[in-house]
Amino acid sequence: YWICLLATAAILVPSAGSLAAHGGQSTFFAADQMRYIYANFLLRLLQPTIGSLFMDHPAAGVVNGSLWSLFPEMLCYGLLAICGVGGLLRRDRRWLLVTFGLSTWALFAASPYLLAAIAGSLWQPKLWYLLQLNSLLAFFLAGAGLWVFRHLIPFGRGVRWTAVAAVVVALAFGVYPLLGPLLLAPAIVALAVQLPWTQFDRYGDFSYGLYLYHFPLQQLIYATGGQLPSAIAFFAISLVATLPCAWLSWKFIEKPALTLKAKTLHRPSA
């Protein structure tokens, strides 16, 4: 994440600034780049812009909008660690985790009514933000629950296709916004098992690199001024442009870091 901030501010954004300067648009100064790194350093995307760059784009001014999800994700993993320390993941106490997960889902389901009840008040933006975090937590706990109770779930072919069909039916009848946290996680796991992509990551796991770098590269592609014929063409060009960055991220940053993590974890037992 930190390398992405530095690379975006030091390499990608100046390239876009050069294009913008040739187009007669406003650019930015080094102070704007440093402010971008400093404001977003602790995972929370507090400043999505750098100067007036990209202001004429559909995602106006946003340098890397994908990074917003990392802060809620960190909170979810932190809460999961607290559950582990508190013993909620022990076999005889997992009903507490189920209770917590269902309570989170109930609050998720009640979110529209809670926001409507205080519409127009000063507390509405803060409540909206907390309810957004809770909605993400509801999805996260559903996936965590699948792992914790994996020995109890008969995840055969019939169950897998039923999980996928349940999402389709929920979307068709308009009840997905209510049941999404309960249905989506089993469906995603079912597809991961069912689809014939068993060696998708044999050359490395490029998912995080694609996540980190695709947004600023798409902004850079758009800044060239080229009018692409379709969204599919834009996706294809973006994927080709992002894959080298994702490979570099995996090869020289993520994989060595994971190796270091493994050595650190095995040191006490040795």
Side-chain angles (χ1 to χ4, degrees):
Y1 170 78
W2 287 329
I3 295 298
C4 176
L5 287 182
L6 292 171
T8 300
I11 301 174
L12 296 177
V13 169
S15 302
S18 176
L19 292 171
H22 289 303
Q25 304 172 9
S26 300
T27 56
F28 55 92
F29 302 96
D32 296 318
Q33 296 164 268
M34 295 303 299
R35 197 177 298 113
Y36 172 81
I37 296 172
Y38 174 78
N40 302 321
F41 196 72
L42 296 180
L43 284 182
R44 191 172 179 184
L45 192 61
L46 296 176
Q47 180 182 319
T49 63
I50 295 181
S52 58
L53 198 66
F54 303 141
M55 285 299 178
D56 61 334
H57 289 203
V62 179
V63 175
N64 196 342
S66 299
L67 301 183
W68 71 269
S69 69
L70 285 179
F71 182 71
E73 185 177 359
M74 181 193 69
L75 294 180
C76 287
Y77 278 112
L79 184 59
L80 188 63
I82 293 174
C83 290
V85 173
L88 270 68
L89 304 183
R90 285 173 43 184
R91 189 176 294 268
D92 59 335
R93 295 185 184 177
R94 288 175 181 171
W95 63 272
L96 293 172
L97 184 64
V98 174
T99 302
F100 180 45
L102 290 177
S103 300
T104 304
W105 171 74
L107 183 59
F108 167 83
S111 295
Y113 307 101
L114 294 174
L115 289 172
I118 63 167
S121 72
L122 295 176
W123 289 97
Q124 187 176 14
K126 294 182 180 180
L127 179 62
W128 179 86
Y129 181 70
L130 292 175
L131 290 176
Q132 286 292 100
L133 291 179
N134 178 77
S135 67
L136 297 173
L137 178 61
F139 285 93
F140 181 88
L141 288 177
L146 286 179
W147 172 257
V148 171
F149 296 100
R150 63 193 182 280
H151 61 290
L152 299 177
I153 302 174
F155 216 59
R157 182 183 296 269
V159 174
R160 295 198 295 267
W161 284 119
T162 300
V164 175
V167 173
V168 175
V169 171
L171 288 169
F173 287 91
V175 295
Y176 177 81
L178 176 64
L179 301 178
L182 302 178
L183 300 179
L184 185 61
I188 289 178
V189 174
L191 288 175
V193 173
Q194 196 68 34
L195 294 177
W197 297 338
T198 56
Q199 298 186 9
F200 190 78
D201 59 348
R202 61 179 174 176
Y203 298 112
D205 184 358
F206 307 136
S207 59
Y208 189 54
L210 288 171
Y211 160 81
L212 284 178
Y213 291 100
H214 79 274
F215 200 108
L217 284 170
Q218 285 180 330
Q219 292 286 57
L220 182 61
I221 293 169
Y222 192 89
T224 62
Q227 297 298 317
L228 299 177
S230 66
I232 295 177
F234 187 65
F235 168 80
I237 293 174
S238 302
L239 181 61
V240 171
T242 310
L243 272 175
C245 293
W247 181 84
L248 289 171
S249 178
W250 167 255
K251 181 72 174 180
F252 297 106
I253 302 170
E254 299 166 46
K255 188 177 181 180
L258 291 172
T259 304
L260 180 63
K261 168 189 170 184
K263 291 180 180 178
T264 304
L265 290 177
H266 283 88
R267 191 175 299 157
S269 60

